[in-house]
Amino acid sequence: MSKTRTSSIEMDSEEFRKIGYQLIDDISNFIGSIDKKPVTPNESPSQLQTILGNLSLPEKGTDATELISKTTDLLFNHSLLNGHPKFFGYITSSAAPIGALADLLAASVNPNVGAHILSPMATEIEKQTVKWLCEFIGVSSNYGGILVSGGNMANFTAFLAARTAKAPKSVKEDGIQNAQNKLTVYCSKSTHTWIEKAAILFGLGTNAVRWIQTDASNKMDINVLESTIKKDLENNCMPLMVVGTAGDVSTGVVDNLSNISTICKTYDLWFHIDGAYGAPAAIIPELKNMFEGIKEADSIALDPHKWLYSPLEAGCTLVKNPQHLIDTYSSHPEYYNFSKNEDDVAQNFYEYGLQNSRGFRALKVWLALQQVGRSGYEKLISEDIALSEMLFDLADKHPELEAVSQNLSIATFRYIPMEINKDSGYLNPLNEALLNELQAGGDVFLSNAIVNKHYCLRACIVNFRTSEKDIKDIIDIVVREGKKVHLKLSETKMKV
Ligand SMILES: *Cc1c(COP(=O)(O)O)cnc(C)c1O
């Protein structure tokens, strides 16, 4: 080795500039023409493997210019594009372009946001982001919190804090097998699957989850919640927490948060809100009533990579008394020369959650919040809701569609051929086949929901690129494909 080292992984600034400019040009063109591409190329795993090439680990290095150019081609032409104006599947948003720039910047400086000393400005930016998210959803900015990878992690982070706060103090040291009473948690039937993973992960087991039935409006039935808690208390269980959902993943319903909060106060339980999808809608003044009670939550999970349009990944846990996070996650090994959390000197995020070394996720959220501002987000979110309502109305008026539900920015509906009765058992397989056809077709991407045992098409609009024209197009596409699928199914039935 010579005195000055040449590293094959280094790029001098001239090389970086050249490759980087080209990449930025390519990404700009990609964003500028995303609406002209199919939502998905619908290639099979084996087709993709052929395109990718079944190569073994390269022995020698390759020129970076060539690598980046080949890789942009692979990803631009063989990906499902959730940034497409007609992507409405699951709850995945179009990614804000400023988030892409933020990720590049974050990776370039590469702060380790586990400890203040390793990420001085990044830590302060994350703290400010957390504070702004509190203001955004209308809770006290005394809540503390942390950015995590997504909704699941945000809920897990809160779940363990709840267990630490409400289970017997010995549980942290001795584990739950020594708790005298079975620890239980409560949530509605429509809660997302994270709760099962959390019950397994944190040792309670899935039988500790009490899935409370929902009422006619699809909200957690408060009377059943209370009677279940009472019954558990009589049967040597130890209720820990109730999870309210603010925007359920199937149909977007928000539980009655203030009633849940009252129950939690009566029985001294932790009140957690899973607002992964819906919490940002609390910014809309007209929806104030729907989110009443949000201020009472002990913890809230939200997901900037959903309705704040951050690129994946960005979730956030907010906790009313952030000391609960420190009680749960802090430790002070001898190999860390980091200041303790005693005064205002330094907040070390490794003490607030499960991760140790941490990337700078907050940057993309922080930048978008400033690019758009509070009023800008209020406008974007209300427009998404208005488009969803428009879709519902158009489906309602169409003779071959049935509008089924509409909450926040989620609409569900079904295709019903003219001559088929609404109660026909045929409609479930028909709509399932239609969804598969639509997902493969590349014109529009919807997902599904089962509502009152009916298989429905579901559109969740967290997409700042969608316009009224796209919504009208969807109706035409669904009906056009619906006719085809119906014809195909009735032909095969006739042959049988
Ligand atoms: C999306 C979602 C989750 C899971 O979030 P991820 O970011 O996918 O981990 C949990 N709960 C609700 C209500 C959601 O909408």
Side-chain angles (χ1 to χ4, degrees):
M1 220 189 286
S2 65
K3 270 193 188 144
T4 54
R5 182 173 174 195
T6 49
S7 311
S8 54
I9 203 162
E10 180 62 289
M11 275 188 200
D12 66 32
S13 49
E14 200 37 55
E15 187 186 7
F16 189 89
R17 182 174 295 117
K18 219 171 126 241
I19 299 174
Y21 280 6
Q22 185 61 51
L23 177 60
I24 294 289
D25 279 347
D26 292 344
I27 294 173
S28 309
N29 293 336
F30 168 72
I31 293 174
S33 61
I34 198 162
D35 57 331
K36 314 267 174 344
K37 288 174 173 280
V39 184
T40 168
N42 191 37
E43 291 157 329
S44 71
S46 56
Q47 284 173 310
L48 288 164
Q49 285 149 24
T50 308
I51 294 163
L52 185 59
N54 183 17
L55 312 171
S56 42
L57 174 69
E59 176 59 30
K60 292 214 174 91
T62 306
D63 174 55
T65 312
E66 185 188 329
L67 283 176
I68 295 291
S69 145
K70 275 194 180 156
T71 307
T72 46
D73 179 58
L74 276 181
L75 288 171
F76 290 164
N77 297 318
H78 305 281
S79 293
L80 172 134
L81 306 178
N82 51 34
H84 191 287
K86 287 195 181 69
F87 178 85
F88 311 108
Y90 305 101
I91 310 180
T92 306
S93 61
S94 274
I98 201 168
L101 296 174
D103 271 354
L104 177 62
L105 178 57
S108 306
V109 179
N110 199 32
N112 184 337
V113 199
H116 196 285
I117 193 174
L118 303 178
S119 57
M121 184 47 83
T123 291
E124 294 304 326
I125 288 177
E126 180 158 346
K127 282 164 63 184
Q128 193 167 69
T129 307
V130 166
K131 191 172 144 284
W132 284 352
L133 290 174
C134 293
E135 290 179 39
F136 195 110
I137 63 169
V139 301
S140 155
S141 47
N142 292 332
Y143 277 69
I146 182 166
L147 274 285
V148 295
S149 56
N152 265 34
M153 285 302 298
N155 284 305
F156 295 166
T157 304
F159 190 107
L160 191 59
R163 198 195 82 175
T164 307
K166 295 297 183 186
K169 291 294 160 241
S170 65
V171 163
K172 195 173 173 188
E173 289 76 28
D174 298 328
I176 64 159
Q177 65 273 24
N178 290 319
Q180 292 193 333
N181 299 313
K182 185 174 171 58
L183 307 175
T184 51
V185 297
Y186 303 78
C187 65
S188 96
K189 250 177 37 192
S190 49
T191 304
H192 185 277
T193 63
W194 70 266
I195 187 104
E196 275 185 324
K197 290 192 186 177
I200 297 165
L201 183 58
F202 300 120
L204 278 68
T206 52
N207 290 337
V209 181
R210 304 286 188 255
W211 299 91
I212 305 300
Q213 69 185 58
T214 44
D215 60 21
S217 54
N218 244 344
K219 298 178 186 191
M220 191 193 300
D221 187 318
I222 296 294
N223 296 324
V224 177
L225 170 65
E226 181 158 27
S227 60
T228 310
I229 292 171
K230 278 186 178 155
K231 204 166 80 200
D232 280 341
L233 285 169
E234 284 160 15
N235 288 298
N236 293 325
C237 292
M238 184 173 191
L240 296 182
M241 72 155 158
V242 184
V243 177
T245 296
D248 94 80
V249 67
S250 280
T251 61
V253 167
V254 177
D255 278 332
N256 189 323
L257 303 175
S258 62
N259 283 356
I260 297 177
S261 148
T262 307
I263 300 262
C264 286
K265 283 183 187 137
T266 309
Y267 295 92
D268 188 26
L269 309 179
W270 184 278
F271 174 29
H272 174 68
I273 295 178
D274 177 6
Y277 158 53
I283 201 170
I284 313 271
E286 292 78 31
L287 298 183
K288 216 173 155 64
N289 286 341
M290 188 187 277
F291 288 92
E292 207 189 315
I294 195 171
K295 288 190 171 89
E296 307 300 321
D298 292 298
S299 56
I300 302 168
L302 70 148
D303 231 357
H305 69 208
K306 287 180 172 167
W307 225 345
L308 300 187
Y309 318 103
S310 287
L312 296 160
E313 302 163 342
C316 179
T317 306
L318 299 174
V319 176
K320 185 173 233 161
N321 175 0
Q323 185 60 38
H324 288 302
L325 290 176
I326 295 167
D327 292 347
T328 309
Y329 296 111
S330 177
S331 64
H332 294 283
E334 59 188 9
Y335 46 83
Y336 280 172
N337 180 32
F338 303 152
S339 64
K340 303 208 169 77
N341 224 83
E342 284 149 2
D343 36 34
D344 88 326
V345 266
Q347 177 170 324
N348 296 317
F349 272 108
Y350 86 89
E351 297 180 79
Y352 279 65
L354 289 150
Q355 274 187 281
N356 192 58
S357 291
R358 301 176 66 250
F360 192 13
R361 294 194 177 92
L363 186 62
K364 56 194 169 194
V365 182
W366 185 75
L367 280 171
L369 286 170
Q370 292 174 87
Q371 184 202 6
V372 176
R374 204 205 58 78
S375 61
Y377 267 111
E378 186 185 320
K379 180 161 182 287
L380 289 169
I381 292 172
S382 358
E383 286 170 355
D384 283 345
I385 294 174
L387 288 170
S388 173
E389 289 167 350
M390 176 182 169
L391 178 60
F392 181 86
D393 289 341
L394 290 177
D396 195 36
K397 290 197 188 99
H398 199 286
E400 288 171 87
L401 296 173
E402 179 187 42
V404 176
S405 73
Q406 201 292 316
N407 296 285
L408 295 181
S409 67
I410 301 180
T412 65
F413 55 104
R414 301 195 290 167
Y415 175 66
I416 306 184
M418 293 297 249
E419 73 281 11
I420 303 287
N421 186 292
K422 270 187 177 195
D423 303 319
S424 162
Y426 166 68
L427 290 176
N428 278 2
L430 171 65
N431 279 278
E432 188 172 352
L434 172 55
L435 181 73
N436 288 330
E437 205 58 39
L438 290 169
Q439 288 193 341
D443 287 338
V444 59
F445 198 97
L446 304 175
S447 53
N448 66 291
I450 310 292
V451 186
N452 300 327
K453 303 209 170 93
H454 291 156
Y455 192 101
C456 296
L457 307 175
R458 168 185 174 284
C460 174
I461 305 177
V462 281
N463 194 335
F464 57 84
R465 295 206 174 101
T466 304
S467 66
E468 293 190 352
K469 161 97 171 57
D470 295 306
I471 300 297
K472 288 181 190 143
D473 290 349
I474 304 176
I475 296 285
D476 296 342
I477 297 166
V478 168
V479 173
R480 182 191 75 208
E481 294 304 313
K483 283 185 206 293
K484 281 193 218 160
V485 174
H486 173 46
L487 190 67
K488 207 157 57 179
L489 288 187
S490 21
E491 277 170 358
T492 48
K493 240 194 322 197
M494 265 149 40
K495 277 186 210 137
V496 175

